[in-house]
PDB file of all heavy atoms in Angstrom:
ATOM      1  N   ASP A 941     162.863 116.793 -43.782  1.00 95.00           N
ATOM      2  CA  ASP A 941     163.142 116.100 -45.016  1.00 95.00           C
ATOM      3  C   ASP A 941     163.122 116.996 -46.236  1.00 95.00           C
ATOM      4  O   ASP A 941     164.063 117.095 -46.958  1.00 95.00           O
ATOM      5  CB  ASP A 941     162.149 114.942 -45.194  1.00 95.00           C
ATOM      6  CG  ASP A 941     162.451 113.748 -44.314  1.00 95.00           C
ATOM      7  OD1 ASP A 941     163.616 113.646 -43.850  1.00 95.00           O
ATOM      8  OD2 ASP A 941     161.532 112.983 -44.061  1.00 95.00           O
ATOM      9  N   LYS A 942     161.992 117.757 -46.334  1.00 96.00           N
ATOM     10  CA  LYS A 942     161.729 118.493 -47.575  1.00 96.00           C
ATOM     11  C   LYS A 942     162.596 119.744 -47.733  1.00 96.00           C
ATOM     12  O   LYS A 942     163.187 120.041 -48.790  1.00 96.00           O
ATOM     13  CB  LYS A 942     160.270 118.819 -47.676  1.00 96.00           C
ATOM     14  CG  LYS A 942     159.299 117.634 -47.750  1.00 96.00           C
ATOM     15  CD  LYS A 942     159.519 116.780 -48.954  1.00 96.00           C
ATOM     16  CE  LYS A 942     158.504 115.710 -49.072  1.00 96.00           C
ATOM     17  NZ  LYS A 942     158.703 114.789 -50.239  1.00 96.00           N
ATOM     18  N   ILE A 943     162.619 120.568 -46.705  1.00 97.00           N
ATOM     19  CA  ILE A 943     163.392 121.834 -46.759  1.00 97.00           C
ATOM     20  C   ILE A 943     164.926 121.508 -46.626  1.00 97.00           C
ATOM     21  O   ILE A 943     165.751 122.076 -47.319  1.00 97.00           O
ATOM     22  CB  ILE A 943     162.929 122.772 -45.678  1.00 97.00           C
ATOM     23  CG1 ILE A 943     161.485 123.280 -46.017  1.00 97.00           C
ATOM     24  CG2 ILE A 943     163.841 124.009 -45.618  1.00 97.00           C
ATOM     25  CD1 ILE A 943     160.930 124.200 -44.984  1.00 97.00           C
ATOM     26  N   VAL A 944     165.255 120.629 -45.697  1.00 98.00           N
ATOM     27  CA  VAL A 944     166.654 120.277 -45.489  1.00 98.00           C
ATOM     28  C   VAL A 944     167.302 119.750 -46.775  1.00 98.00           C
ATOM     29  O   VAL A 944     168.503 120.018 -46.999  1.00 98.00           O
ATOM     30  CB  VAL A 944     166.730 119.228 -44.343  1.00 98.00           C
ATOM     31  CG1 VAL A 944     168.094 118.535 -44.348  1.00 98.00           C
ATOM     32  CG2 VAL A 944     166.529 119.922 -43.055  1.00 98.00           C
ATOM     33  N   PHE A 945     166.598 119.075 -47.578  1.00 97.00           N
ATOM     34  CA  PHE A 945     167.183 118.478 -48.758  1.00 97.00           C
ATOM     35  C   PHE A 945     167.621 119.472 -49.796  1.00 97.00           C
ATOM     36  O   PHE A 945     168.538 119.227 -50.585  1.00 97.00           O
ATOM     37  CB  PHE A 945     166.159 117.470 -49.431  1.00 97.00           C
ATOM     38  CG  PHE A 945     166.725 116.793 -50.635  1.00 97.00           C
ATOM     39  CD1 PHE A 945     167.434 115.652 -50.543  1.00 97.00           C
ATOM     40  CD2 PHE A 945     166.489 117.341 -51.920  1.00 97.00           C
ATOM     41  CE1 PHE A 945     167.964 115.033 -51.672  1.00 97.00           C
ATOM     42  CE2 PHE A 945     166.994 116.662 -53.050  1.00 97.00           C
ATOM     43  CZ  PHE A 945     167.712 115.557 -52.922  1.00 97.00           C
ATOM     44  N   LEU A 946     167.011 120.622 -49.857  1.00 97.00           N
ATOM     45  CA  LEU A 946     167.170 121.567 -50.967  1.00 97.00           C
ATOM     46  C   LEU A 946     168.614 121.938 -51.239  1.00 97.00           C
ATOM     47  O   LEU A 946     169.103 121.851 -52.385  1.00 97.00           O
ATOM     48  CB  LEU A 946     166.316 122.790 -50.751  1.00 97.00           C
ATOM     49  CG  LEU A 946     164.819 122.525 -50.865  1.00 97.00           C
ATOM     50  CD1 LEU A 946     163.990 123.658 -50.266  1.00 97.00           C
ATOM     51  CD2 LEU A 946     164.408 122.271 -52.298  1.00 97.00           C
ATOM     52  N   PRO A 947     169.398 122.418 -50.297  1.00 98.00           N
ATOM     53  CA  PRO A 947     170.809 122.751 -50.597  1.00 98.00           C
ATOM     54  C   PRO A 947     171.632 121.489 -51.002  1.00 98.00           C
ATOM     55  O   PRO A 947     172.506 121.636 -51.885  1.00 98.00           O
ATOM     56  CB  PRO A 947     171.351 123.332 -49.270  1.00 98.00           C
ATOM     57  CG  PRO A 947     170.469 122.812 -48.224  1.00 98.00           C
ATOM     58  CD  PRO A 947     169.101 122.657 -48.823  1.00 98.00           C
ATOM     59  N   TRP A 948     171.360 120.356 -50.384  1.00 98.00           N
ATOM     60  CA  TRP A 948     172.080 119.169 -50.812  1.00 98.00           C
ATOM     61  C   TRP A 948     171.743 118.803 -52.236  1.00 98.00           C
ATOM     62  O   TRP A 948     172.616 118.459 -53.055  1.00 98.00           O
ATOM     63  CB  TRP A 948     171.674 117.989 -49.891  1.00 98.00           C
ATOM     64  CG  TRP A 948     172.082 116.650 -50.376  1.00 98.00           C
ATOM     65  CD1 TRP A 948     171.303 115.766 -51.030  1.00 98.00           C
ATOM     66  CD2 TRP A 948     173.386 116.060 -50.313  1.00 98.00           C
ATOM     67  NE1 TRP A 948     172.016 114.606 -51.349  1.00 98.00           N
ATOM     68  CE2 TRP A 948     173.301 114.788 -50.908  1.00 98.00           C
ATOM     69  CE3 TRP A 948     174.607 116.489 -49.764  1.00 98.00           C
ATOM     70  CZ2 TRP A 948     174.407 113.949 -51.052  1.00 98.00           C
ATOM     71  CZ3 TRP A 948     175.726 115.608 -49.863  1.00 98.00           C
ATOM     72  CH2 TRP A 948     175.616 114.374 -50.486  1.00 98.00           C
ATOM     73  N   GLY A 949     170.441 118.908 -52.613  1.00 97.00           N
ATOM     74  CA  GLY A 949     169.966 118.613 -53.953  1.00 97.00           C
ATOM     75  C   GLY A 949     170.689 119.554 -54.989  1.00 97.00           C
ATOM     76  O   GLY A 949     170.862 119.116 -56.169  1.00 97.00           O
ATOM     77  N   LYS A 950     171.089 120.718 -54.599  1.00 97.00           N
ATOM     78  CA  LYS A 950     171.743 121.610 -55.516  1.00 97.00           C
ATOM     79  C   LYS A 950     173.248 121.390 -55.575  1.00 97.00           C
ATOM     80  O   LYS A 950     173.851 121.428 -56.647  1.00 97.00           O
ATOM     81  CB  LYS A 950     171.469 123.087 -55.037  1.00 97.00           C
ATOM     82  CG  LYS A 950     172.097 124.147 -55.956  1.00 97.00           C
ATOM     83  CD  LYS A 950     171.727 125.552 -55.501  1.00 97.00           C
ATOM     84  CE  LYS A 950     172.081 126.629 -56.485  1.00 97.00           C
ATOM     85  NZ  LYS A 950     173.548 126.783 -56.630  1.00 97.00           N
ATOM     86  N   LEU A 951     173.875 121.152 -54.422  1.00 98.00           N
ATOM     87  CA  LEU A 951     175.341 121.152 -54.390  1.00 98.00           C
ATOM     88  C   LEU A 951     176.019 119.965 -55.019  1.00 98.00           C
ATOM     89  O   LEU A 951     177.172 120.119 -55.508  1.00 98.00           O
ATOM     90  CB  LEU A 951     175.840 121.307 -52.943  1.00 98.00           C
ATOM     91  CG  LEU A 951     175.761 120.089 -52.021  1.00 98.00           C
ATOM     92  CD1 LEU A 951     176.992 119.235 -52.078  1.00 98.00           C
ATOM     93  CD2 LEU A 951     175.560 120.624 -50.552  1.00 98.00           C
ATOM     94  N   VAL A 952     175.359 118.807 -55.082  1.00 98.00           N
ATOM     95  CA  VAL A 952     176.003 117.624 -55.627  1.00 98.00           C
ATOM     96  C   VAL A 952     176.456 117.860 -57.045  1.00 98.00           C
ATOM     97  O   VAL A 952     177.594 117.600 -57.466  1.00 98.00           O
ATOM     98  CB  VAL A 952     175.093 116.371 -55.565  1.00 98.00           C
ATOM     99  CG1 VAL A 952     175.762 115.204 -56.252  1.00 98.00           C
ATOM    100  CG2 VAL A 952     174.812 116.010 -54.103  1.00 98.00           C
ATOM    101  N   ASP A 953     175.553 118.474 -57.855  1.00 98.00           N
ATOM    102  CA  ASP A 953     175.964 118.734 -59.251  1.00 98.00           C
ATOM    103  C   ASP A 953     176.738 119.989 -59.352  1.00 98.00           C
ATOM    104  O   ASP A 953     177.462 120.178 -60.354  1.00 98.00           O
ATOM    105  CB  ASP A 953     174.686 118.798 -60.185  1.00 98.00           C
ATOM    106  CG  ASP A 953     174.265 117.409 -60.598  1.00 98.00           C
ATOM    107  OD1 ASP A 953     174.995 116.434 -60.362  1.00 98.00           O
ATOM    108  OD2 ASP A 953     173.165 117.327 -61.216  1.00 98.00           O
ATOM    109  N   GLN A 954     176.642 120.951 -58.449  1.00 97.00           N
ATOM    110  CA  GLN A 954     177.517 122.114 -58.434  1.00 97.00           C
ATOM    111  C   GLN A 954     178.978 121.608 -58.391  1.00 97.00           C
ATOM    112  O   GLN A 954     179.862 122.087 -59.086  1.00 97.00           O
ATOM    113  CB  GLN A 954     177.252 123.010 -57.273  1.00 97.00           C
ATOM    114  CG  GLN A 954     175.888 123.663 -57.309  1.00 97.00           C
ATOM    115  CD  GLN A 954     175.775 124.715 -58.346  1.00 97.00           C
ATOM    116  OE1 GLN A 954     176.658 125.509 -58.562  1.00 97.00           O
ATOM    117  NE2 GLN A 954     174.655 124.709 -59.092  1.00 97.00           N
ATOM    118  N   TRP A 955     179.239 120.605 -57.566  1.00 98.00           N
ATOM    119  CA  TRP A 955     180.587 120.008 -57.455  1.00 98.00           C
ATOM    120  C   TRP A 955     180.926 119.307 -58.778  1.00 98.00           C
ATOM    121  O   TRP A 955     182.035 119.551 -59.344  1.00 98.00           O
ATOM    122  CB  TRP A 955     180.595 119.010 -56.316  1.00 98.00           C
ATOM    123  CG  TRP A 955     181.916 118.313 -56.181  1.00 98.00           C
ATOM    124  CD1 TRP A 955     183.033 118.814 -55.518  1.00 98.00           C
ATOM    125  CD2 TRP A 955     182.293 116.985 -56.659  1.00 98.00           C
ATOM    126  NE1 TRP A 955     184.055 117.873 -55.620  1.00 98.00           N
ATOM    127  CE2 TRP A 955     183.635 116.799 -56.323  1.00 98.00           C
ATOM    128  CE3 TRP A 955     181.600 116.042 -57.392  1.00 98.00           C
ATOM    129  CZ2 TRP A 955     184.315 115.606 -56.642  1.00 98.00           C
ATOM    130  CZ3 TRP A 955     182.330 114.870 -57.736  1.00 98.00           C
ATOM    131  CH2 TRP A 955     183.643 114.665 -57.314  1.00 98.00           C
ATOM    132  N   ARG A 956     180.029 118.474 -59.338  1.00 98.00           N
ATOM    133  CA  ARG A 956     180.372 117.768 -60.545  1.00 98.00           C
ATOM    134  C   ARG A 956     180.571 118.685 -61.728  1.00 98.00           C
ATOM    135  O   ARG A 956     181.479 118.489 -62.558  1.00 98.00           O
ATOM    136  CB  ARG A 956     179.313 116.714 -60.825  1.00 98.00           C
ATOM    137  CG  ARG A 956     179.508 115.465 -60.004  1.00 98.00           C
ATOM    138  CD  ARG A 956     178.674 114.324 -60.518  1.00 98.00           C
ATOM    139  NE  ARG A 956     177.258 114.423 -60.180  1.00 98.00           N
ATOM    140  CZ  ARG A 956     176.396 113.450 -60.141  1.00 98.00           C
ATOM    141  NH1 ARG A 956     176.741 112.282 -60.451  1.00 98.00           N
ATOM    142  NH2 ARG A 956     175.132 113.684 -59.843  1.00 98.00           N
ATOM    143  N   TRP A 957     179.719 119.709 -61.856  1.00 98.00           N
ATOM    144  CA  TRP A 957     179.916 120.621 -63.007  1.00 98.00           C
ATOM    145  C   TRP A 957     181.247 121.298 -62.913  1.00 98.00           C
ATOM    146  O   TRP A 957     181.898 121.504 -63.987  1.00 98.00           O
ATOM    147  CB  TRP A 957     178.752 121.637 -63.016  1.00 98.00           C
ATOM    148  CG  TRP A 957     177.399 121.122 -63.186  1.00 98.00           C
ATOM    149  CD1 TRP A 957     177.080 119.864 -63.675  1.00 98.00           C
ATOM    150  CD2 TRP A 957     176.141 121.733 -62.921  1.00 98.00           C
ATOM    151  NE1 TRP A 957     175.745 119.708 -63.709  1.00 98.00           N
ATOM    152  CE2 TRP A 957     175.146 120.833 -63.272  1.00 98.00           C
ATOM    153  CE3 TRP A 957     175.795 122.968 -62.462  1.00 98.00           C
ATOM    154  CZ2 TRP A 957     173.796 121.161 -63.137  1.00 98.00           C
ATOM    155  CZ3 TRP A 957     174.497 123.293 -62.285  1.00 98.00           C
ATOM    156  CH2 TRP A 957     173.444 122.399 -62.650  1.00 98.00           C
ATOM    157  N   LYS A 958     181.716 121.640 -61.743  1.00 98.00           N
ATOM    158  CA  LYS A 958     183.037 122.229 -61.589  1.00 98.00           C
ATOM    159  C   LYS A 958     184.152 121.256 -61.863  1.00 98.00           C
ATOM    160  O   LYS A 958     185.225 121.579 -62.437  1.00 98.00           O
ATOM    161  CB  LYS A 958     183.211 122.795 -60.191  1.00 98.00           C
ATOM    162  CG  LYS A 958     182.306 124.067 -59.925  1.00 98.00           C
ATOM    163  CD  LYS A 958     182.404 124.554 -58.489  1.00 98.00           C
ATOM    164  CE  LYS A 958     181.478 125.675 -58.158  1.00 98.00           C
ATOM    165  NZ  LYS A 958     181.805 126.859 -58.826  1.00 98.00           N
ATOM    166  N   VAL A 959     183.930 119.988 -61.502  1.00 98.00           N
ATOM    167  CA  VAL A 959     184.855 118.910 -61.865  1.00 98.00           C
ATOM    168  C   VAL A 959     184.938 118.735 -63.415  1.00 98.00           C
ATOM    169  O   VAL A 959     186.035 118.671 -63.979  1.00 98.00           O
ATOM    170  CB  VAL A 959     184.473 117.593 -61.163  1.00 98.00           C
ATOM    171  CG1 VAL A 959     185.328 116.422 -61.726  1.00 98.00           C
ATOM    172  CG2 VAL A 959     184.725 117.693 -59.682  1.00 98.00           C
ATOM    173  N   PHE A 960     183.779 118.660 -64.011  1.00 98.00           N
ATOM    174  CA  PHE A 960     183.752 118.503 -65.455  1.00 98.00           C
ATOM    175  C   PHE A 960     184.395 119.593 -66.188  1.00 98.00           C
ATOM    176  O   PHE A 960     185.107 119.444 -67.212  1.00 98.00           O
ATOM    177  CB  PHE A 960     182.270 118.329 -65.929  1.00 98.00           C
ATOM    178  CG  PHE A 960     181.546 117.094 -65.471  1.00 98.00           C
ATOM    179  CD1 PHE A 960     180.217 117.121 -65.207  1.00 98.00           C
ATOM    180  CD2 PHE A 960     182.274 115.923 -65.246  1.00 98.00           C
ATOM    181  CE1 PHE A 960     179.571 115.991 -64.782  1.00 98.00           C
ATOM    182  CE2 PHE A 960     181.597 114.752 -64.800  1.00 98.00           C
ATOM    183  CZ  PHE A 960     180.256 114.809 -64.551  1.00 98.00           C
ATOM    184  N   SER A 961     184.221 120.818 -65.742  1.00 98.00           N
ATOM    185  CA  SER A 961     184.766 121.980 -66.388  1.00 98.00           C
ATOM    186  C   SER A 961     186.281 122.183 -66.109  1.00 98.00           C
ATOM    187  O   SER A 961     186.945 122.946 -66.807  1.00 98.00           O
ATOM    188  CB  SER A 961     184.020 123.267 -65.948  1.00 98.00           C
ATOM    189  OG  SER A 961     184.368 123.648 -64.633  1.00 98.00           O
ATOM    190  N   GLY A 962     186.801 121.488 -65.159  1.00 98.00           N
ATOM    191  CA  GLY A 962     188.203 121.636 -64.820  1.00 98.00           C
ATOM    192  C   GLY A 962     188.506 122.644 -63.716  1.00 98.00           C
ATOM    193  O   GLY A 962     189.603 122.843 -63.325  1.00 98.00           O
ATOM    194  N   GLU A 963     187.440 123.361 -63.309  1.00 98.00           N
ATOM    195  CA  GLU A 963     187.581 124.327 -62.244  1.00 98.00           C
ATOM    196  C   GLU A 963     188.028 123.643 -60.921  1.00 98.00           C
ATOM    197  O   GLU A 963     188.846 124.222 -60.162  1.00 98.00           O
ATOM    198  CB  GLU A 963     186.307 125.107 -61.982  1.00 98.00           C
ATOM    199  CG  GLU A 963     186.392 126.142 -60.913  1.00 98.00           C
ATOM    200  CD  GLU A 963     185.092 126.957 -60.710  1.00 98.00           C
ATOM    201  OE1 GLU A 963     184.209 126.857 -61.607  1.00 98.00           O
ATOM    202  OE2 GLU A 963     184.983 127.578 -59.711  1.00 98.00           O
ATOM    203  N   ILE A 964     187.587 122.440 -60.700  1.00 98.00           N
ATOM    204  CA  ILE A 964     188.047 121.629 -59.570  1.00 98.00           C
ATOM    205  C   ILE A 964     188.953 120.553 -60.168  1.00 98.00           C
ATOM    206  O   ILE A 964     188.497 119.729 -60.918  1.00 98.00           O
ATOM    207  CB  ILE A 964     186.857 120.954 -58.833  1.00 98.00           C
ATOM    208  CG1 ILE A 964     186.005 122.030 -58.158  1.00 98.00           C
ATOM    209  CG2 ILE A 964     187.444 120.019 -57.739  1.00 98.00           C
ATOM    210  CD1 ILE A 964     184.738 121.491 -57.492  1.00 98.00           C
ATOM    211  N   ARG A 965     190.231 120.598 -59.757  1.00 97.00           N
ATOM    212  CA  ARG A 965     191.174 119.593 -60.219  1.00 97.00           C
ATOM    213  C   ARG A 965     191.150 118.374 -59.364  1.00 97.00           C
ATOM    214  O   ARG A 965     190.659 118.411 -58.191  1.00 97.00           O
ATOM    215  CB  ARG A 965     192.613 120.199 -60.238  1.00 97.00           C
ATOM    216  CG  ARG A 965     192.747 121.429 -61.145  1.00 97.00           C
ATOM    217  CD  ARG A 965     194.172 121.884 -61.271  1.00 97.00           C
ATOM    218  NE  ARG A 965     194.738 122.198 -59.948  1.00 97.00           N
ATOM    219  CZ  ARG A 965     194.651 123.379 -59.379  1.00 97.00           C
ATOM    220  NH1 ARG A 965     193.927 124.341 -59.963  1.00 97.00           N
ATOM    221  NH2 ARG A 965     195.222 123.626 -58.219  1.00 97.00           N
ATOM    222  N   PRO A 966     191.592 117.198 -59.822  1.00 97.00           N
ATOM    223  CA  PRO A 966     191.537 115.974 -59.098  1.00 97.00           C
ATOM    224  C   PRO A 966     192.087 116.065 -57.690  1.00 97.00           C
ATOM    225  O   PRO A 966     191.505 115.457 -56.750  1.00 97.00           O
ATOM    226  CB  PRO A 966     192.304 114.964 -59.952  1.00 97.00           C
ATOM    227  CG  PRO A 966     192.096 115.439 -61.293  1.00 97.00           C
ATOM    228  CD  PRO A 966     192.079 116.959 -61.220  1.00 97.00           C
ATOM    229  N   GLU A 967     193.222 116.743 -57.500  1.00 97.00           N
ATOM    230  CA  GLU A 967     193.805 116.843 -56.166  1.00 97.00           C
ATOM    231  C   GLU A 967     192.938 117.684 -55.222  1.00 97.00           C
ATOM    232  O   GLU A 967     193.158 117.675 -54.002  1.00 97.00           O
ATOM    233  CB  GLU A 967     195.180 117.353 -56.222  1.00 97.00           C
ATOM    234  CG  GLU A 967     195.307 118.805 -56.722  1.00 97.00           C
ATOM    235  CD  GLU A 967     195.435 118.917 -58.225  1.00 97.00           C
ATOM    236  OE1 GLU A 967     195.106 117.913 -58.951  1.00 97.00           O
ATOM    237  OE2 GLU A 967     195.923 119.986 -58.682  1.00 97.00           O
ATOM    238  N   GLN A 968     191.941 118.404 -55.782  1.00 97.00           N
ATOM    239  CA  GLN A 968     191.033 119.229 -54.966  1.00 97.00           C
ATOM    240  C   GLN A 968     189.678 118.604 -54.772  1.00 97.00           C
ATOM    241  O   GLN A 968     188.841 119.268 -54.160  1.00 97.00           O
ATOM    242  CB  GLN A 968     190.864 120.580 -55.675  1.00 97.00           C
ATOM    243  CG  GLN A 968     192.141 121.360 -55.863  1.00 97.00           C
ATOM    244  CD  GLN A 968     191.908 122.576 -56.782  1.00 97.00           C
ATOM    245  OE1 GLN A 968     191.209 122.511 -57.780  1.00 97.00           O
ATOM    246  NE2 GLN A 968     192.569 123.718 -56.484  1.00 97.00           N
ATOM    247  N   TYR A 969     189.446 117.396 -55.250  1.00 98.00           N
ATOM    248  CA  TYR A 969     188.134 116.783 -55.218  1.00 98.00           C
ATOM    249  C   TYR A 969     187.521 116.921 -53.817  1.00 98.00           C
ATOM    250  O   TYR A 969     186.391 117.408 -53.677  1.00 98.00           O
ATOM    251  CB  TYR A 969     188.243 115.326 -55.558  1.00 98.00           C
ATOM    252  CG  TYR A 969     188.245 114.996 -57.039  1.00 98.00           C
ATOM    253  CD1 TYR A 969     188.462 113.698 -57.489  1.00 98.00           C
ATOM    254  CD2 TYR A 969     188.092 115.952 -58.041  1.00 98.00           C
ATOM    255  CE1 TYR A 969     188.456 113.404 -58.846  1.00 98.00           C
ATOM    256  CE2 TYR A 969     188.120 115.680 -59.379  1.00 98.00           C
ATOM    257  CZ  TYR A 969     188.299 114.354 -59.806  1.00 98.00           C
ATOM    258  OH  TYR A 969     188.340 114.058 -61.101  1.00 98.00           O
ATOM    259  N   ASN A 970     188.216 116.438 -52.821  1.00 97.00           N
ATOM    260  CA  ASN A 970     187.547 116.372 -51.494  1.00 97.00           C
ATOM    261  C   ASN A 970     187.504 117.734 -50.820  1.00 97.00           C
ATOM    262  O   ASN A 970     186.504 118.080 -50.222  1.00 97.00           O
ATOM    263  CB  ASN A 970     188.327 115.383 -50.594  1.00 97.00           C
ATOM    264  CG  ASN A 970     187.348 114.459 -49.836  1.00 97.00           C
ATOM    265  OD1 ASN A 970     186.520 113.807 -50.466  1.00 97.00           O
ATOM    266  ND2 ASN A 970     187.496 114.439 -48.530  1.00 97.00           N
ATOM    267  N   LYS A 971     188.519 118.561 -50.975  1.00 97.00           N
ATOM    268  CA  LYS A 971     188.502 119.853 -50.404  1.00 97.00           C
ATOM    269  C   LYS A 971     187.364 120.728 -50.934  1.00 97.00           C
ATOM    270  O   LYS A 971     186.641 121.379 -50.222  1.00 97.00           O
ATOM    271  CB  LYS A 971     189.842 120.588 -50.582  1.00 97.00           C
ATOM    272  CG  LYS A 971     189.971 121.881 -49.792  1.00 97.00           C
ATOM    273  CD  LYS A 971     191.349 122.493 -49.998  1.00 97.00           C
ATOM    274  CE  LYS A 971     191.517 123.773 -49.247  1.00 97.00           C
ATOM    275  NZ  LYS A 971     192.856 124.374 -49.378  1.00 97.00           N
ATOM    276  N   ALA A 972     187.205 120.660 -52.246  1.00 97.00           N
ATOM    277  CA  ALA A 972     186.156 121.415 -52.911  1.00 97.00           C
ATOM    278  C   ALA A 972     184.767 120.856 -52.512  1.00 97.00           C
ATOM    279  O   ALA A 972     183.782 121.649 -52.337  1.00 97.00           O
ATOM    280  CB  ALA A 972     186.311 121.362 -54.410  1.00 97.00           C
ATOM    281  N   TRP A 973     184.629 119.593 -52.329  1.00 98.00           N
ATOM    282  CA  TRP A 973     183.376 118.986 -51.912  1.00 98.00           C
ATOM    283  C   TRP A 973     182.969 119.567 -50.529  1.00 98.00           C
ATOM    284  O   TRP A 973     181.825 120.003 -50.392  1.00 98.00           O
ATOM    285  CB  TRP A 973     183.562 117.437 -51.796  1.00 98.00           C
ATOM    286  CG  TRP A 973     182.429 116.673 -51.171  1.00 98.00           C
ATOM    287  CD1 TRP A 973     182.376 116.133 -49.987  1.00 98.00           C
ATOM    288  CD2 TRP A 973     181.190 116.385 -51.816  1.00 98.00           C
ATOM    289  NE1 TRP A 973     181.171 115.429 -49.822  1.00 98.00           N
ATOM    290  CE2 TRP A 973     180.430 115.578 -50.925  1.00 98.00           C
ATOM    291  CE3 TRP A 973     180.611 116.620 -53.079  1.00 98.00           C
ATOM    292  CZ2 TRP A 973     179.179 115.103 -51.228  1.00 98.00           C
ATOM    293  CZ3 TRP A 973     179.351 116.173 -53.387  1.00 98.00           C
ATOM    294  CH2 TRP A 973     178.668 115.383 -52.509  1.00 98.00           C
ATOM    295  N   TRP A 974     183.865 119.637 -49.609  1.00 98.00           N
ATOM    296  CA  TRP A 974     183.469 120.179 -48.281  1.00 98.00           C
ATOM    297  C   TRP A 974     183.312 121.677 -48.253  1.00 98.00           C
ATOM    298  O   TRP A 974     182.539 122.221 -47.533  1.00 98.00           O
ATOM    299  CB  TRP A 974     184.482 119.712 -47.229  1.00 98.00           C
ATOM    300  CG  TRP A 974     184.219 118.254 -46.929  1.00 98.00           C
ATOM    301  CD1 TRP A 974     184.936 117.183 -47.322  1.00 98.00           C
ATOM    302  CD2 TRP A 974     183.082 117.767 -46.156  1.00 98.00           C
ATOM    303  NE1 TRP A 974     184.356 116.004 -46.892  1.00 98.00           N
ATOM    304  CE2 TRP A 974     183.189 116.332 -46.170  1.00 98.00           C
ATOM    305  CE3 TRP A 974     181.997 118.326 -45.558  1.00 98.00           C
ATOM    306  CZ2 TRP A 974     182.273 115.500 -45.523  1.00 98.00           C
ATOM    307  CZ3 TRP A 974     181.058 117.521 -44.891  1.00 98.00           C
ATOM    308  CH2 TRP A 974     181.206 116.132 -44.927  1.00 98.00           C
ATOM    309  N   ALA A 975     183.998 122.359 -49.205  1.00 97.00           N
ATOM    310  CA  ALA A 975     183.762 123.800 -49.344  1.00 97.00           C
ATOM    311  C   ALA A 975     182.312 124.060 -49.728  1.00 97.00           C
ATOM    312  O   ALA A 975     181.685 124.999 -49.230  1.00 97.00           O
ATOM    313  CB  ALA A 975     184.753 124.383 -50.334  1.00 97.00           C
ATOM    314  N   LEU A 976     181.851 123.313 -50.677  1.00 97.00           N
ATOM    315  CA  LEU A 976     180.466 123.434 -51.130  1.00 97.00           C
ATOM    316  C   LEU A 976     179.468 123.039 -50.105  1.00 97.00           C
ATOM    317  O   LEU A 976     178.368 123.653 -49.895  1.00 97.00           O
ATOM    318  CB  LEU A 976     180.238 122.666 -52.441  1.00 97.00           C
ATOM    319  CG  LEU A 976     180.877 123.235 -53.672  1.00 97.00           C
ATOM    320  CD1 LEU A 976     180.842 122.255 -54.851  1.00 97.00           C
ATOM    321  CD2 LEU A 976     180.174 124.524 -54.127  1.00 97.00           C
ATOM    322  N   ARG A 977     179.773 122.037 -49.373  1.00 98.00           N
ATOM    323  CA  ARG A 977     178.863 121.578 -48.307  1.00 98.00           C
ATOM    324  C   ARG A 977     178.750 122.583 -47.151  1.00 98.00           C
ATOM    325  O   ARG A 977     177.664 122.855 -46.628  1.00 98.00           O
ATOM    326  CB  ARG A 977     179.319 120.197 -47.784  1.00 98.00           C
ATOM    327  CG  ARG A 977     179.229 119.108 -48.844  1.00 98.00           C
ATOM    328  CD  ARG A 977     179.193 117.740 -48.240  1.00 98.00           C
ATOM    329  NE  ARG A 977     177.967 117.486 -47.504  1.00 98.00           N
ATOM    330  CZ  ARG A 977     177.731 116.395 -46.842  1.00 98.00           C
ATOM    331  NH1 ARG A 977     178.578 115.404 -46.899  1.00 98.00           N
ATOM    332  NH2 ARG A 977     176.594 116.239 -46.127  1.00 98.00           N
TER     333      ARG A 977
END
């Protein structure tokens, strides 16, 4: 639970911050999500 969560806890906002900045475009939403995962 505790160690496994750490990368997940980081990547969710890594994705959103890139979405907000425009680095990830709408047509790339899902592809970029799995790239980060």
Side-chain angles (χ1 to χ4, degrees):
D941 285 338
K942 300 296 186 182
I943 293 177
V944 161
F945 181 85
L946 292 165
W948 167 261
K950 183 178 189 293
L951 75 86
V952 174
D953 278 351
Q954 294 290 317
W955 179 83
R956 278 193 287 201
W957 295 345
K958 292 176 185 291
V959 168
F960 294 147
S961 72
E963 182 179 343
I964 296 174
R965 299 187 302 275
E967 65 271 18
Q968 300 170 321
Y969 278 174
N970 225 54
K971 187 176 182 180
W973 174 253
W974 284 104
L976 286 168
R977 296 199 64 182

